[in-house]
Amino acid sequence: MKPINPLRLILIGVILAVAGWSGTVITSRYGMATPVLPATALATMGVIVAITLILGIRVLRWRNSVKPNSTAKKTALDPLLAARTLVLAQACAYAGTVLLGWHVGIFLDQLRIWSFRSNQDITWLALGMAGGGLVMIIVGLVVERFCRIPPEDGDTKGMDGKPGRAARGEATGEGEYAYRGD
């Protein structure tokens, strides 16, 4: 599985910001309700973030459980749990990008008429949803990092050609995550 490309997240966010702004302009032109999620969606986003973080911490604890020079063996990590955690982290980051982009577009449209509105609840709600999307992105990217494991001794060759750890910054290729798919 490939790591998330931050440029892809930015592109998705910008596209959805334009779409959110356009959707708000169209709905307000025809007198329809602003297309913003209800406040209860923040609770759902919080539950998703909490579950992602809890599962990510489990993988992180497994990854950091035994020091490299220790003779003790690591307890086995369920590969299905590691794979699901990685997929959940990436889905959380992508969903957060969609929510952030859409609600930033709505916020920008509502901001231009801020002084004319007597009820500014929609503007604050859009800002809250954008903040929730940002939290989802951050947690998704952090948990994705939790799922990365360093290469094991013997997996790569050192600078002198002998088995050992890769040099700092060197790509590890396959087996980059705690889940090693076959």
Side-chain angles (χ1 to χ4, degrees), residues 58-127:
R58 285 183 65 185
V59 172
L60 180 67
R61 282 187 182 163
W62 172 82
R63 188 183 80 177
N64 296 336
S65 65
V66 177
K67 303 293 181 211
N69 295 334
S70 175
T71 57
K73 291 205 167 221
K74 280 188 177 182
T75 58
L77 175 70
D78 181 17
L80 196 54
L81 171 72
R84 286 179 177 165
T85 302
L86 177 62
V87 169
L88 180 62
Q90 290 184 348
C92 187
Y94 281 116
T97 302
V98 169
L99 291 169
L100 175 66
W102 181 263
H103 288 95
V104 162
I106 293 171
F107 177 75
L108 291 175
D109 181 64
Q110 296 296 312
L111 197 60
R112 68 183 173 87
I113 57 173
W114 175 270
S115 60
F116 300 120
R117 296 193 89 162
S118 60
N119 183 3
Q120 299 162 345
D121 290 342
I122 301 243
T123 308
W124 289 111
L125 186 58
L127 188 61

Side-chain angles (χ1 to χ4, degrees), residues 41-54:
L42 284 173
T44 304
M45 292 163 69
V47 169
I48 292 169
V49 164
I51 290 171
T52 305
L53 202 52
I54 289 168

